[in-house]
Every structure is written in C-alpha cells, then in structure tokens.
Amino acid sequence: MNSNAFVLGNLSEGNYNQQLILCRVFCSAFKSSDFFYQMDAINILHQRALNLRRRMREIEDGRAAQERLMRLQKEGDTLSYQGNSEEVGCYVAGHPLSKRNCYFEVTIVDTGVRGTIAVGLVPKFYRLDHQPGWLPYSVAYHADNGKLYNGNPVGQQFGPKCARGDRVGCGILSENTEAGSTTVFFTKNGQEVGSVEVPVLAEGLFPAVGMHSMGEEVKVDLHAEWFLEEDDSMMMVDSHEDDWGRLYDVTVSGTLLEYIGKGKSIMDVGLAQARQPLTTRCHYYEVEIVDAGEKCYIALGLARRDYPSNRHPGWSRGSVAYHADDGKIFHGSGVGDAFGPRCFKGDIMGCGIMFPRDYILDREGERSGRPTWWWEGSPPHSNYCGSVFFTRNGKLMGRREMVVPPGGLYPTVGMLSSGEKVKVDLHPLSG
C-alpha cells in the first residue's frame, strides 16, 4: 500500500488527462478483492485532478486580470503621467469590455502641459509606448484635438476637445466578436459624441488610457454605467448640466456639484459658473452644503463672465462672495471682511441682487450683439451699483454694493478641498 501511495503522490505533476489514464491503468492492476483500494485510488486521483484544474484556472484568471501600464503611476483609481513628455505612457485594464461590463469613463483631473490624453479600447497585449488608436485593432478619442484615431496614427475629426473636469466615456454596443467587429461609441459628460465600427480580436477589447505630457492626471471608472438614449430622454427633465457655462475641476450630476481638484494650494480652486447671469426675473440662487470635505473651503457669490478659473469667487476684481469656512465676505480682494457665521454640512447659503425699478433685460441684445444687460436712459458702460445680498438658512446676513459690469453678474461657486459637494438651486423662487 505504501508503494501505491507513492505512485498516487506523484501523479499531481501530470495534467488532468494523464491522471485519468494512469487511474485506469492503476485500478486494472488490482484484483477484484481489492475493490476498496481501487475506490480509494480513484477518489484520490479525481480530487487531485480537480485541484490541479482549479490551480490552472486561477493562474489563467490572474493573468487575465493583470493590468499593464508604462510611464504612468496608478494610485487607486487615479492615473498620472510619469514620463518626460517625449514618450507615450499607456494603461491597459486587466479585463476586456463585455455584455455585463460594456462601458467605462475617465474624468480629466489635470490636462498638464498639452492635454494629450486618449481614451479608448485596445487588444490585450497592446504596445504601451503608443497612444490608444494609433495601432491596428485599437480605437480612441483624443482630448487635445477631439479627433478619433482608429488603428491609424492619423486621426479624423470626431467631437469637441476635452478639458479639466470633463468625463470621457467609451463603450461597446454589441459583443459580436464572432463576426470580427463591434460598434464602439464615445461620450463626453454623459452625452454621446459618436460611434464607429471597429475590428475585434478573439480576446476582446480592453479599456485603455494614453498620456503624453507632464502633469496629466485622470480618474478611471472601469464600472461606470451607461444608459441607453431612450432612458436619457426620460431623464432629461432632471438634467441640469446645461445650466453651467464653465466647470473647472468640478463635476456636475443633476443639481450636485463635486470638487475633483487636488486641493493642495490656492491655485487648485474648483469653479462652477452658471450659463446665464442673474436677472430681474431670476435674481437669487441657493447652495446647500452636502459634504463639507476636509476644510469646507466653499464659496458662493457673483462674478463677471470672464472671471479667472483658478481664483475663488471674491478674490479677484469683478466678483463678490460669502465664504463658508470663515464666514467672511470677499469683494474683489484676497483679504476678506467679517460678515456672518461659518457654514457647515446641511447649511443653505443664498446670494442675490436687488435691482432698481428702471432696470430691464434687453432680450433683443442677445440677437443684435449688444450686451445682455441694458439700462433705460443710460449707456451699458455706466457704473451701475447693485445691492448684492447673502443669506444663510433663509436669514439675511448682509448686503454689499457692487458695480455690475456690462454682461451682468453670474452665479459662481468655488471649492478648494477634497470631498466637497454642494447642491445648487439656480431658481429657488420660481415655484
């Protein structure tokens, strides 16, 4: 029996089929009276064959799940370029897109020097020193020029350019790999940009991100959800993305604004500015602090349309703002004045303008080329002073007189520390 155990112990080195053959040979050597020995041998061999098959499957799964990257650093879901801007850096996910997981998204945290960020799909063993889309069987949407690269280093015009805060998505509409091709589509901030038919190898198409200049940084969501066009039309009523003319290091989801910047210096301000200025019919808006983040560096106020993207509202000329972290008011200066109490999670901050009776909005100005703002009996360049007021949880905190520039003052929200989220109502008095 010891010799039999020795033989069985060494069978684990063979493959599954070899073990079954040896099992039959081994068992046929026994006499009929050795039935129990035969059953023991079969059970041992079968169990070891199953264990071997399981280990082989684990090895294969491990290889399939292995992410590949070059000249990029990955921390959690964040990718950042680590090359010298002369060589491409590329990331390839461990799993291909499939019916169950057919879409992924990349949020641009920083465009770096040139913004040469590419989002697309590539074969499993794609060369990591090439941008996605440059080589055969790969396709990608490039943020710096809005072009589509489909297995060719020469791109074709496809969609708009992408900047900081933009979300670039990529997915497949079908998994018809047996036919050797599939439809790949791209999105920007949740809206479909376009689609293209691409060839597919048997191994499938893997999510990929390419970068090519210093400072580029993105966040990757390999399990993002994509809703079909008919679902989007049903949800259009609840969408508020078009309310915002400028988003810088801030993402929008419905009425929720979220800061996605680095939050390491005063230059990392996240800014959201409304598409339309305040008017006599819509002269007030509110912000609810959903998450105060690390420092609650949240500010709401009004600013001119060309206000700098990396400055908190109130810090630069042509703006005024109430800051939640210290309760101060900033009016075109980096030094604030004591104004009201600090604000925290759950507080609702409001801002508005009181207009004079003879102040009207010239709707024809939008079509004629005149400034949107117009005063009866005075030219548009006159130094009109409006009374800007702020509230906290429905109570008036105070007023500040301010010169309203031609073109008006736009609701502007600033954030500056990790985790900050606010819910914005641009029309709280509309019923």
Side-chain angles (χ1 to χ4, degrees):
M1 188 63 186
N2 290 338
S3 61
N4 296 338
F6 173 78
V7 172
L8 292 174
N10 285 277
L11 288 179
S12 60
E13 299 299 327
N15 61 35
Y16 182 67
N17 293 330
Q18 288 176 334
Q19 292 192 36
L20 290 179
I21 294 172
L22 287 173
C23 178
R24 295 190 184 99
V25 173
F26 181 75
C27 292
S28 64
F30 284 102
K31 299 178 181 179
S32 58
S33 59
D34 295 327
F35 173 76
F36 291 107
Y37 288 139
Q38 293 183 31
M39 293 304 300
D40 287 342
I42 292 174
N43 289 335
I44 293 172
L45 282 170
H46 182 66
Q47 188 61 44
R48 290 187 175 178
L50 290 177
N51 289 338
L52 179 61
R53 176 177 285 183
R54 188 179 298 114
R55 285 198 299 271
M56 292 174 65
R57 187 183 298 117
E58 289 173 354
I59 292 173
E60 289 299 320
D61 290 344
R63 287 174 182 169
Q66 185 67 43
E67 297 176 329
R68 301 170 58 237
L69 69 164
M70 177 186 288
R71 301 187 186 97
L72 299 180
Q73 181 178 345
K74 188 171 187 290
E75 294 183 3
D77 59 356
T78 300
L79 289 172
S80 57
Y81 181 75
Q82 300 295 315
N84 58 12
S85 292
E86 295 179 0
E87 300 172 307
V88 171
C90 188
Y91 162 84
V92 178
H95 293 283
L97 291 188
S98 62
K99 249 180 212 179
R100 181 176 295 179
N101 184 26
C102 64
Y103 178 74
F104 78 103
E105 275 189 346
V106 171
T107 300
I108 300 176
V109 177
D110 199 325
T111 54
V113 178
R114 298 196 304 271
T116 47
I117 298 169
V119 178
L121 299 171
V122 301
K124 183 176 182 181
F125 296 109
Y126 190 78
R127 288 185 57 178
L128 299 180
D129 58 350
H130 282 65
Q131 284 274 29
W134 283 2
L135 297 179
Y137 298 98
S138 71
V139 61
Y141 180 23
H142 286 225
D144 60 320
N145 55 18
K147 290 185 177 182
L148 179 76
Y149 291 77
N150 187 5
N152 195 312
V154 178
Q156 55 186 352
Q157 201 55 50
F158 183 69
K161 298 179 182 180
C162 303
R164 297 176 80 175
D166 284 336
R167 290 178 292 116
V168 182
C170 177
I172 55 175
L173 292 178
S174 63
E175 197 186 6
N176 190 18
T177 54
E178 294 180 0
S181 66
T182 189
T183 300
V184 176
F185 67 94
F186 294 91
T187 66
K188 179 186 176 186
N189 298 328
Q191 300 296 317
E192 185 172 347
V193 176
S195 60
V196 62
E197 193 78 11
V198 300
V200 183
L201 297 176
E203 64 207 22
L205 290 169
F206 291 69
V209 179
M211 302 184 199
H212 204 177
S213 75
M214 294 298 295
E216 293 173 354
E217 186 174 313
V218 302
K219 282 188 176 181
V220 181
D221 184 357
L222 295 176
H223 303 284
E225 293 186 356
W226 166 251
F227 298 97
L228 297 176
E229 189 174 346
E230 52 265 31
D231 293 334
D232 286 342
S233 62
M234 295 173 61
M235 297 172 63
M236 195 60 69
V237 175
D238 298 325
S239 175
H240 295 270
E241 188 167 336
D242 290 341
D243 290 339
W244 300 98
R246 299 167 62 202
L247 292 169
Y248 185 85
D249 275 358
V250 172
T251 60
V252 57
S253 176
T255 59
L256 186 72
L257 298 179
E258 180 178 358
Y259 176 70
I260 60 169
K262 297 180 180 179
K264 296 179 181 178
S265 73
I266 61 172
M267 298 300 293
D268 295 328
V269 169
L271 197 77
Q273 188 175 70
R275 187 177 298 277
Q276 301 295 333
L278 292 188
T279 67
T280 54
R281 297 184 62 182
C282 182
H283 69 283
Y284 175 75
Y285 79 102
E286 288 183 335
V287 168
E288 178 185 352
I289 301 176
V290 176
D291 194 327
E294 292 183 358
K295 305 286 187 179
C296 199
Y297 288 154
I298 298 170
L300 91 159
L302 300 171
R304 66 183 193 270
R305 188 172 186 175
D306 60 345
Y307 191 76
S309 298
N310 61 348
R311 298 286 289 171
H312 239 330
W315 283 358
S316 295
R317 182 181 58 83
S319 70
V320 61
Y322 180 21
H323 286 226
D325 63 309
D326 54 14
K328 291 184 178 181
I329 188 171
F330 290 75
H331 186 188
S333 171
V335 179
D337 299 324
F339 184 72
R342 297 170 59 191
C343 301
F344 305 92
K345 179 178 179 180
D347 285 336
I348 299 176
M349 306 168 69
C351 176
I353 303 179
M354 297 301 295
F355 296 104
R357 295 178 182 177
D358 60 350
Y359 186 83
I360 62 171
L361 175 65
D362 179 28
R363 297 187 182 278
E364 293 298 322
E366 298 179 3
R367 293 190 289 270
S368 66
R370 295 199 304 265
T372 304
W373 293 85
W374 195 267
W375 293 271
E376 290 182 346
S378 65
H381 61 269
S382 64
N383 291 329
Y384 168 76
C385 286
S387 181
V388 179
F389 63 94
F390 293 92
T391 65
R392 177 178 179 272
N393 298 328
K395 295 183 179 180
L396 180 66
M397 293 294 101
R399 298 182 176 88
R400 181 62 58 97
E401 297 299 310
M402 181 178 180
V403 174
V404 181
L409 289 169
Y410 292 72
T412 307
V413 178
M415 293 182 274
L416 190 54
S417 75
S418 177
E420 292 173 352
K421 299 178 184 178
V422 299
K423 187 179 292 185
V424 183
D425 188 350
L426 292 173
H427 312 284
L429 304 180
S430 62

